[in-house]
Amino acid sequence: MTPEHNNAIAVRRLKKSLGGKEVLRGVDLEIRRGETMVIIGQSGCGKSVLLKHIVGLHFPDQGEVFIDGQPLNGVSTSERLKLLSEFGMLFQGAALFDSLTIAENVAFRHIQSRKYSQKEMDRIVAEKLEMVGLSGIAHLKPAELSGGMQKRVGLARAIAADPKFILYDEPTTGLDPIMADQINDLILHMQEVLNVTSIAVTHDMVSAYKIADRISMLYQGQVIETDTPDRIQRSKNPYVRQFIRGEAYGPITTVRPFGYTGPSGTKGGKHEAPQ
Amino acid sequence: MIRFVGAKTLDFVTQLGEISLLLFETVRNTFRRPFPRRNFFEQIVKIGWNSLPVTFFTAISTGAILALQTGYAMMANVKGTEHFVGGVVALSVTRELGPILCAIMIAGRAGSGITAEIGTMKVTEQIDALVTLSANPVHYLIVPRVLAGVIVLPLLTLFTDLVAIFGGMLVAFLEMGLNETQYIETTLRMLTISDINNGLIKSVVFGLLITLIASFEGFRTKGGAEGVGKSTTRSVVMICMSILFFDYVLTSLLTTSF
């Protein structure tokens, strides 16, 4: 058995350039069945792009994504759609359809398929909204809800068709710490109840430690370390250490204020990376 | 300079190719079941019904002004020809002014709305969300809009024709005191069915241009609120230019072949 077949999702030497910039430079990643994999990395390091390759929104320049051992690209459109129908995705800004009600958002897939009675759909909507801790809002429009509530509805929509995989794009970004923790609990709860395989992309380390079975760090378009939260916290890799501790100075290059040379011991100037 | 012109030309050709592909996709998806009924009727109301007031106002003033201008010009220059005002208004409106003014108004009203809505959906990842929920964005968003545009524009144009002729009559009777029977007689004598038909054929093409380009620009939107504003402006400009271009092409085709 190749690793492609053992894992729920496998990403192989994935390369992608967007707007002339090489965003992913050969990503290798395996996600085991039933685990929650958290991908961490700086803003703009390609985390979301990687996620969008897995859910079929982007096509790779090179490399391949395997879902349950099956290649996602280079197969027929109907095969591809069948593989992708197993996914539920929670978007960063929830991405609810603002012309539809909450109920229509949650039951979107069911309404489109035209195979369900109104009664069945009402039951599904009520059930999924209850799972994310919401009720009595099915008739409202997304604009009438707070950001946290919108994310919950987004999650309810993602799980409405009982997916095998749930992907979270920055699930806690833009939420207050309490709401963020509630979303973390919800992700853990989903994992327990639905027995799904999950991938979350985040730069919120509190969230990452709480929900992850394993953490992968993406840096400059490549995975530089994959391990359990415990071992990631004790990582020897200077890049990982700088990121998880949230330090401005370290091997990861950042733009520094002009003339400021940083705390004693680090060299000043732009883009200098003391090794 | 040469590089600039070259780059712009390349850009233009690429866009033309992309729009053609989108048109092909749209036609293909039009026949895919289940048909997005609800979105289609919503668009009929948005593009058609809600545009009636602005179309009415444009039409009645165009007809009235046209009658006034040509009427007084005729009276001043060739005595006894003023009853031809009816025919002149009817011909100018059905052949040219009706389709084009109606299309330009709808481009401003509905075209901008389509680009802004789809553009906002793009930058807030709603288009991506559609795909992850197994919906085809072309089938779900563009087919209803394009189909509604192609059906509604000829109807609005017919409405424009009627209202404009009526507006011309009002001015002719009330303001200029022309003879009613003569006016109506010249209108009916000079106007043929093919005048109206040609106008309506044009308006079908205009309906396609408005909705297709508006959707295309919406899909291309990048970069937040600023991006939506930019693509909306570009959309209306592109639509108007292409309407004027195709108006010329169609006019020369239709007048030589009929």
Side-chain angles (χ1 to χ4, degrees), chain B residues 30-160:
Chain B
T30 305
F31 301 101
R32 237 189 63 199
R33 302 296 130 209
F35 180 73
R37 248 174 306 163
R38 186 179 136 172
N39 288 4
F40 172 68
F41 288 120
E42 246 175 47
Q43 291 304 320
I44 293 267
V45 172
K46 269 193 189 170
I47 303 173
W49 182 254
N50 294 350
S51 299
L52 280 181
V54 68
T55 328
F56 177 83
F57 188 74
T58 313
I60 199 139
S61 51
T62 305
I65 294 163
L66 200 59
L68 213 55
Q69 291 276 17
T70 51
Y72 282 125
M74 283 171 166
M75 273 192 214
N77 293 308
V78 201
K79 287 262 178 291
T81 53
E82 54 280 4
H83 56 271
F84 281 110
V85 171
V88 171
V89 169
L91 281 190
S92 339
V93 164
T94 51
R95 283 188 181 180
E96 192 54 55
L97 291 175
I100 197 118
L101 287 176
C102 178
I104 300 273
M105 294 312 283
I106 304 301
R109 214 196 142 271
S112 59
I114 290 172
T115 308
E117 188 180 359
I118 296 184
T120 306
M121 288 185 77
K122 175 78 190 297
V123 299
T124 56
E125 297 188 304
Q126 290 179 51
I127 306 267
D128 284 346
L130 274 178
V131 177
T132 63
L133 293 166
S134 313
N136 179 336
V138 173
H139 183 249
Y140 184 78
L141 294 173
I142 302 191
V143 167
R145 283 168 174 77
V146 169
L147 221 52
V150 168
I151 293 172
V152 156
L153 250 271
L155 296 175
L156 281 176
T157 302
L158 206 58
F159 175 72
T160 307

Side-chain angles (χ1 to χ4, degrees), chain A residues 132-202:
Chain A
V132 297
L134 292 171
S135 60
I137 56 149
H139 60 285
L140 296 179
K141 288 281 180 77
E144 297 172 79
L145 303 183
S146 70
M149 282 167 98
Q150 287 188 5
K151 284 224 164 159
R152 286 161 182 244
V153 175
L155 185 53
R157 182 177 69 182
I159 60 171
D162 305 318
K164 272 165 82 176
F165 311 99
I166 307 181
L167 308 190
Y168 303 90
D169 190 2
E170 314 246 351
T172 56
T173 302
L175 300 179
D176 67 69
I178 295 170
M179 185 56 78
D181 200 48
Q182 287 179 5
I183 296 283
N184 289 337
D185 283 339
L186 214 50
I187 294 174
L188 288 172
H189 180 65
M190 292 299 135
Q191 198 64 18
E192 247 168 64
V193 179
L194 302 174
N195 188 30
V196 289
T197 304
S198 307
I199 308 175
V201 149
T202 188

Side-chain angles (χ1 to χ4, degrees), chain A:
Chain A
M1 290 277 270
T2 59
E4 282 82 18
H5 292 87
N6 278 329
N7 294 292
I9 297 168
V11 176
R12 285 274 161 271
R13 291 177 288 280
L14 192 67
K15 289 190 181 176
K16 179 74 176 180
S17 296
L18 288 172
K21 187 174 172 271
E22 203 174 20
V23 184
L24 300 179
R25 308 200 237 184
V27 173
D28 279 290
L29 188 66
E30 280 126 33
I31 292 111
R32 298 174 190 150
R33 252 175 217 102
E35 78 170 342
T36 300
M37 165 67 86
V38 173
I39 300 166
I40 58 171
Q42 279 184 291
S43 303
C45 74
K47 291 172 303 198
S48 293
V49 176
L50 174 59
L51 209 58
K52 287 186 174 178
H53 274 90
I54 296 173
V55 74
L57 289 168
H58 282 318
F59 289 85
D61 293 341
Q62 270 179 56
E64 186 50 281
V65 175
F66 296 88
I67 313 290
D68 274 336
Q70 300 219 55
L72 178 59
N73 301 295
V75 294
S76 72
T77 311
S78 60
E79 281 281 309
R80 183 182 163 84
L81 288 176
K82 212 177 122 211
L83 286 174
L84 294 177
S85 66
E86 304 275 11
F87 281 87
M89 179 154 177
L90 174 59
F91 287 86
Q92 196 173 343
L96 300 177
F97 305 124
D98 37 32
S99 59
L100 306 179
T101 64
I102 299 304
E104 288 165 339
N105 264 285
V106 174
F108 187 84
R109 232 186 241 265
H110 301 85
I111 296 172
Q112 291 303 308
S113 73
R114 306 238 172 115
K115 285 178 193 150
Y116 298 82
S117 69
Q118 190 58 48
K119 216 173 150 192
E120 279 175 288
M121 287 194 288
D122 288 345
R123 186 186 57 73
I124 291 167
V125 169
E127 181 192 311
K128 303 301 176 189
L129 283 178
E130 203 195 312
M131 279 186 84
V132 297
L134 292 171
S135 60
I137 56 149
H139 60 285
L140 296 179
K141 288 281 180 77
E144 297 172 79
L145 303 183
S146 70
M149 282 167 98
Q150 287 188 5
K151 284 224 164 159
R152 286 161 182 244
V153 175
L155 185 53
R157 182 177 69 182
I159 60 171
D162 305 318
K164 272 165 82 176
F165 311 99
I166 307 181
L167 308 190
Y168 303 90
D169 190 2
E170 314 246 351
T172 56
T173 302
L175 300 179
D176 67 69
I178 295 170
M179 185 56 78
D181 200 48
Q182 287 179 5
I183 296 283
N184 289 337
D185 283 339
L186 214 50
I187 294 174
L188 288 172
H189 180 65
M190 292 299 135
Q191 198 64 18
E192 247 168 64
V193 179
L194 302 174
N195 188 30
V196 289
T197 304
S198 307
I199 308 175
V201 149
T202 188
H203 46 236
D204 172 359
M205 288 315 298
V206 179
S207 167
Y209 291 142
K210 184 158 182 177
I211 63 176
D213 292 314
R214 289 193 304 153
I215 295 177
S216 261
M217 173 144 170
L218 202 60
Y219 179 66
Q220 293 191 338
Q222 282 179 322
V223 173
I224 56 168
E225 190 157 339
T226 302
D227 224 322
T228 60
D230 270 357
R231 286 164 58 180
I232 283 279
Q233 287 187 48
R234 287 181 274 123
S235 171
K236 296 266 187 300
N237 187 319
Y239 294 88
V240 176
R241 285 162 67 109
Q242 186 194 347
F243 184 82
I244 63 174
R245 292 174 188 179
E247 292 165 348
Y249 301 99
I252 298 176
T253 53
T254 49
V255 179
R256 288 169 201 178
F258 182 74
Y260 182 57
T261 53
S264 57
T266 49
K267 276 187 181 174
K270 280 183 180 179
H271 297 286
E272 275 196 37
Q275 294 280 344

